[in-house]
Amino acid sequence: MADQAKAITEPQSRADKRRHILGYMWKFKALYFISLPGLLFFALFKYVPLMGSVIAFQNYNLFAGVTKSPWAGLEHFQRMFQHYDFLKILRNTLLLGIYDIIFAFTAPIVLALLLNEVRQVLYKKIVQTIFYAPHFLSWVIVSGIFVGILSPSSGIVNVMLGWFGIDPIYFLGEDSYIRSVLVGSGLWRDVGWGTIIYLAALAGINPDLYEASNIDGAGRWRQTLSITLPALMPVITILFLLKIGDFLDYGFERVFVFQNPLNIQNSEILDTYIYKAGLQQLQYSYATAIGVFKSVVGLFLITIANTISKKATGESLY
């Protein structure tokens, strides 16, 4: 009898849950409808292309397709690690990623804190607009601006160096300067855009906390350390975890537009190498294997960082 009752109640409970879920979705149908374009975007351009990763394990033939191309196993991954320049390319990618975290990740936080201290609303809006504007420029335009600024003959930087008797420097023609140029150009372009989330978080801090600290005699520096930064830590943690996930994904365009034969030793990264191997040399399987390697490393890093963050701060992505 107990088994029969269980068999009767379980389908009913599943049906009730199904009706509850459908009723919930119908109640908030407008929100689901609004989110539909985003879901379709991720499905079509993020998840469906993942199936193409199978060609990393094949000797892919463009005319035979995925289904008829012969399998190669881990041959392309072995070839990747045995490539004479792979360690150098990986080192360049890691160094640029580290510099980007040190400077490009922290700069928006500092800028947001500085803008938060500005009390003149009009002046604050003007400064924000000036810092936001470069984000909407393409990397081709950004590279043109920096090529002009750093020109050894007419660039303003070399003109100023000449005032102090220093010979002109070809910044884009020397390996020792190219990383600074790449990080600096990215910082100039995106530092203002990165402050938007932090300013939104700062706007949500209860002003009563600042009033109470004023009564206790705390200055602006103490308020920043004791109120502002702790309030920003959850946002900083989440964005840092997302940044760690993209650690090896430095960006093809931002490097390729500055790259030339004179600085390629320190500017060649995984993204530009994938472009050259995959599109210029038509080594599709080999290039896909490098892309899979990047994804696996990113997944590993974000998993480790998320676990550490969850135990240390209580904040995590999942």
Side-chain angles (χ1 to χ4, degrees):
M1 292 293 293
D3 294 337
Q4 293 179 352
K6 185 178 180 181
I8 294 174
T9 56
E10 282 186 353
Q12 290 178 347
S13 63
R14 288 198 296 267
D16 291 340
K17 289 181 180 179
R18 191 179 302 111
R19 284 194 296 269
H20 176 72
I21 294 173
L22 292 176
Y24 184 85
M25 294 179 65
W26 180 255
K27 181 180 179 181
F28 298 100
K29 57 183 179 297
L31 295 178
Y32 283 100
F33 181 76
I34 292 173
S35 64
L36 188 60
L39 295 175
L40 289 175
F41 170 81
F42 277 96
L44 293 175
F45 297 102
K46 299 295 182 180
Y47 293 106
V48 172
L50 286 176
M51 294 184 290
S53 300
V54 70
I55 70 175
F57 305 95
Q58 295 179 322
N59 288 320
Y60 180 70
N61 186 295
L62 186 63
F63 300 99
V66 175
T67 57
K68 297 182 180 179
S69 296
W71 290 95
L74 299 177
E75 175 186 336
H76 299 293
F77 293 93
Q78 294 173 352
R79 177 186 167 196
M80 174 184 67
F81 288 112
Q82 292 171 357
H83 190 275
Y84 67 95
D85 267 348
F86 178 75
L87 290 180
K88 180 192 70 178
I89 296 170
L90 181 61
R91 178 174 63 90
N92 291 339
T93 308
L94 291 174
L95 285 175
L96 286 173
I98 292 171
Y99 295 154
D100 217 36
I101 288 178
I102 294 174
F103 298 104
F105 181 78
T106 57
I109 301 173
V110 175
L111 180 59
L113 292 174
L114 293 175
L115 289 174
N116 189 55
E117 298 298 320
V118 177
R119 295 294 175 259
Q120 294 289 338
V121 178
L122 179 60
Y123 176 73
K124 183 177 181 178
K125 295 296 183 184
I126 293 174
V127 173
Q128 284 180 282
T129 303
I130 292 173
F131 279 103
Y132 290 169
H135 176 78
F136 299 98
L137 301 177
S138 69
W139 279 109
V140 175
I141 296 176
V142 172
S143 68
I145 293 173
F146 273 79
V147 167
I149 293 175
L150 301 176
S151 171
S153 58
S154 58
I156 187 172
V157 174
N158 278 301
V159 170
M160 295 175 66
L161 292 177
W163 296 346
F164 300 96
I166 302 175
D167 294 333
I169 301 173
Y170 190 12
F171 291 97
L172 297 178
E174 296 186 23
D175 285 329
S176 56
Y177 293 104
I178 187 60
R179 294 194 186 113
S180 300
V181 173
L182 293 173
V183 175
S185 61
L187 184 64
W188 175 77
R189 180 180 183 267
D190 294 325
V191 64
W193 190 255
T195 63
I196 293 177
I197 296 178
Y198 296 115
L199 288 173
L202 289 171
I205 299 176
N206 190 344
D208 292 340
L209 297 175
Y210 293 105
E211 294 179 5
S213 63
N214 278 328
I215 295 174
D216 292 337
R220 298 303 299 177
W221 179 245
R222 173 52 60 185
Q223 291 176 356
T224 300
L225 292 178
S226 302
I227 300 174
T228 308
L229 283 178
L232 282 180
M233 281 309 298
V235 177
I236 294 174
T237 302
I238 296 301
L239 293 180
F240 180 75
L241 292 175
L242 294 174
K243 186 72 174 178
I244 289 294
D246 292 335
F247 188 69
L248 294 183
D249 191 16
Y250 191 73
F252 165 76
E253 289 183 0
R254 65 184 294 183
V255 176
F256 189 73
V257 292
F258 288 105
Q259 199 173 73
N260 59 59
L262 299 177
N263 61 38
I264 198 170
Q265 290 298 316
N266 284 351
S267 66
E268 186 79 307
I269 62 173
L270 290 174
D271 291 319
T272 56
Y273 183 62
I274 288 173
Y275 165 75
K276 293 170 184 176
L279 294 182
Q280 292 185 346
Q281 301 174 14
L282 304 182
Q283 302 179 59
Y284 301 114
S285 295
Y286 180 54
T288 304
I290 302 174
V292 171
F293 168 77
K294 281 180 52 184
S295 301
V296 171
V297 172
L299 178 61
F300 175 77
L301 290 175
I302 198 171
T303 302
I304 296 298
N306 188 77
T307 303
I308 295 174
S309 175
K310 193 172 185 178
K311 292 182 178 180
T313 66
E315 300 292 337
S316 62
L317 292 175
Y318 55 87

